[in-house]
């Protein structure tokens, strides 16, 4: 981690000097309130530049942020004196769901129709407001907390563009200072510096605690995502169990009022109907849908939607 830290600091210094970053020629850090952008914020040259007003923080408020994330962004603004620019979308998550359905399938998948809701949602709630803010503020550079090991797409991007490059889309230099860090590196850095982070990360959910041989040594934890509270993208990694345990009211609103439970139930029925050995499961799902309804099914069987 020490070598990676040295490298990131040198890289940021080089980027600042090559682009003459100052209070008159500002740069920007895309700050989501998650641990990765918080790590970039706490790299010494970035922190100094944020405090002296040469780097602005751009917080993209999707209007479906966790209260904890908003609170953390306010803390960063008030305690560090950071200039936080807030970008907001023109539409809402609810509107998108009404028109395209829930963004359940991964972004950029081969099946265009399946991934359409996710593509539209991320473009409307994240990309468009970000582009608008970039145009309005004309920052000389932008930085992110992107890491290559987060996903296949990010690894591909890292290989293609590297950690410092000219972005044709944004028409300025872009830098990903911790592109080659792992999640372990990030937390080791946090521990070494002791900087504050979003308290959502302290809400722990064990995914294998129902196993007979469960022990804290072999515990599998839900990898907390701090973005859009109602996003079902992370449900494959245990988000609904985490929501159920730590945010029961929001979980209820999402599953019942917003209708995600019904959508997931239909997906299950479709999946089980195609597999002969799943007849018993199929009958249970049909009973839940047609006799009990999602709300009563959840009361009787709370972990029902913990996995897809
Ligand atoms: S993370 Fe999910 S809810 Fe948020 S913008 Fe992307 S698809 Fe929409």
């Amino acid at each position: 981690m020490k070598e990676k830290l040295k490298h990131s600091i040198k890289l940021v210094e080089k980027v600042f000097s090559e682009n003459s970053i100052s209070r008159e020629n500002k740069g920007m850090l895309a700050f989501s309130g998650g641990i990765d952008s918080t790590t970039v914020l706490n790299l010494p040259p970035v922190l100094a530049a944020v405090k002296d007003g040469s780097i602005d923080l751009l917080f993209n408020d999707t209007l479906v942020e966790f209260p904890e994330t908003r609170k953390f962004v306010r803390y960063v603004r008030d305690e560090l004196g950071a200039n936080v620019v807030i970008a907001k979308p023109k539409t809402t998550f609810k509107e998108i769901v009404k028109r395209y359905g829930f963004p359940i399938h991964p972004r950029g998948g081969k099946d265009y129709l399946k991934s359409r809701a996710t593509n539209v949602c991320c473009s409307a709630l994240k990309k468009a407001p970000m582009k608008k803010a970039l145009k309005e503020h004309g920052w000389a550079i932008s930085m992110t907390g992107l890491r290559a090991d987060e996903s296949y797409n990010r690894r591909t991007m890292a290989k293609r563009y590297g950690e410092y490059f000219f972005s044709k889309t944004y028409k300025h230099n872009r830098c990903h200072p911790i592109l080659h860090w792992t999640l372990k590196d990030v937390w080791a850095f946090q521990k070494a510096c002791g900087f504050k982070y979003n308290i959502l990360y302290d809400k722990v959910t064990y995914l294998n605690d129902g196993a007979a041989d469960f022990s804290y040594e072999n515990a599998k934890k839900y990898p907390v995502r701090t973005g859009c509270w109602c996003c079902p993208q992370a449900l494959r990694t245990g988000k609904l169990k985490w929501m159920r345990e730590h945010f029961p009211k929001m979980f209820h609103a999402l599953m019942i009022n917003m209708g995600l439970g019904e959508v997931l139930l239909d997906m299950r029925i479709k999946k089980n109907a195609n597999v002969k050995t799943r007849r018993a499961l199929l009958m249970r799902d049909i009973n839940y849908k047609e006799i009990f309804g999602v709300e009563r099914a959840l009361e009787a069987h709370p972990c029902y939607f913990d996995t897809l």
Side-chain angles (χ1 to χ4, degrees):
M1 197 274 274
K2 274 187 188 163
E3 284 312 306
K4 287 184 190 173
L5 177 59
K6 264 191 205 164
H7 173 80
S8 300
I9 291 175
K10 268 193 180 167
L11 173 65
V12 169
E13 287 171 344
K14 179 178 150 183
V15 172
F16 285 2
S17 125
E18 281 186 9
N19 294 279
S20 314
I21 295 303
S22 68
R23 283 157 82 164
E24 289 70 44
N25 186 45
K26 289 181 173 200
M28 176 271 277
L29 165 63
F31 184 71
S32 66
I35 191 63
D36 296 327
S37 51
T38 306
T39 295
V40 176
L41 169 64
N42 283 280
L43 292 173
V46 179
L47 194 58
V50 166
K51 284 183 176 172
D52 84 6
S54 351
I55 292 288
D56 288 342
L57 302 186
L58 174 60
F59 175 60
N60 191 38
D61 182 351
T62 57
L63 309 178
V64 281
E65 302 294 333
F66 281 99
E68 287 77 359
T69 300
R70 291 179 190 284
K71 200 171 168 193
F72 182 56
V73 173
R74 281 198 298 274
Y75 160 81
V76 166
R77 183 194 62 195
D78 298 343
E79 290 298 311
L80 304 182
N83 183 33
V84 180
V85 173
I86 300 179
K88 287 187 180 174
K90 281 190 176 155
T91 184
T92 63
F93 181 79
K94 270 190 186 166
E95 278 299 320
I96 293 167
V97 171
K98 209 162 125 193
R99 215 157 152 203
Y100 301 94
F102 276 95
I104 293 181
H105 299 282
R107 195 151 41 113
K110 280 183 191 156
D111 187 334
Y112 168 75
L113 274 182
K114 270 189 175 176
S115 17
R116 186 169 66 164
T118 313
N119 294 338
V120 170
C121 192
C122 273
S123 293
L125 302 192
K126 288 183 171 175
K127 283 187 194 162
M130 163 89 91
K131 274 191 182 168
K132 190 169 169 263
L134 281 165
K135 214 173 161 189
E136 280 171 12
H137 290 265
W139 289 294
I141 54 146
S142 62
M143 293 179 288
T144 76
L146 193 135
R147 289 185 300 102
D149 83 343
E150 279 181 279
S151 67
Y152 172 77
N153 277 353
R154 295 198 166 176
R155 263 191 302 281
T156 314
M157 256 178 68
K159 270 190 199 150
R160 196 161 163 199
Y161 299 109
E163 56 196 2
Y164 177 36
F165 60 97
F166 180 78
S167 160
K168 285 186 188 161
T169 317
Y170 299 122
K171 300 196 176 33
H172 67 201
N173 287 326
R174 229 164 133 71
C175 174
H176 308 307
I178 57 165
L179 187 66
H180 301 298
W181 290 37
T182 61
L183 190 58
K184 223 172 155 184
D185 295 328
V186 163
W187 283 109
F189 179 54
Q190 187 284 323
K191 213 171 168 194
C193 301
F195 57 78
K196 276 214 179 184
Y197 56 86
N198 191 330
I199 58 159
L200 284 176
Y201 291 104
D202 292 337
K203 297 191 183 296
V204 176
T205 282
Y206 297 107
L207 301 175
N208 57 342
D209 54 352
D213 62 347
F214 176 80
S215 68
Y216 289 102
E217 288 75 53
N218 71 17
K220 202 172 157 235
K221 290 182 195 168
Y222 164 65
V224 175
R225 311 285 306 176
T226 54
C228 315
W229 71 266
C230 47
C231 184
Q233 284 288 302
L235 57 84
R236 291 165 188 85
T237 52
K239 182 174 180 178
L240 291 182
K241 182 175 186 194
W242 180 75
M243 290 285 295
R244 187 163 63 77
E245 286 183 4
H246 299 286
F247 299 93
K249 282 189 186 158
M250 288 158 99
F251 174 77
H252 189 271
L254 175 62
M255 299 301 277
I256 312 296
N257 310 353
M258 292 167 79
L260 181 63
E262 189 90 22
V263 173
L264 295 179
L265 194 45
D266 285 340
M267 282 173 71
R268 270 196 179 186
I269 291 176
K270 207 168 157 192
K271 199 168 152 193
N272 290 338
N274 292 329
V275 185
K276 274 189 185 160
T277 51
R278 293 201 187 142
R279 288 294 174 237
L281 292 178
L282 177 63
M283 288 319 295
R284 181 197 60 183
D285 296 341
I286 291 175
N287 275 341
Y288 278 165
K289 183 168 168 75
E290 285 171 10
I291 301 173
F292 290 99
V294 177
E295 189 157 13
R296 277 187 59 206
L298 270 175
E299 270 166 29
H301 190 169
C303 59
Y304 182 65
F305 291 106
D306 284 355
T307 52
L308 244 192

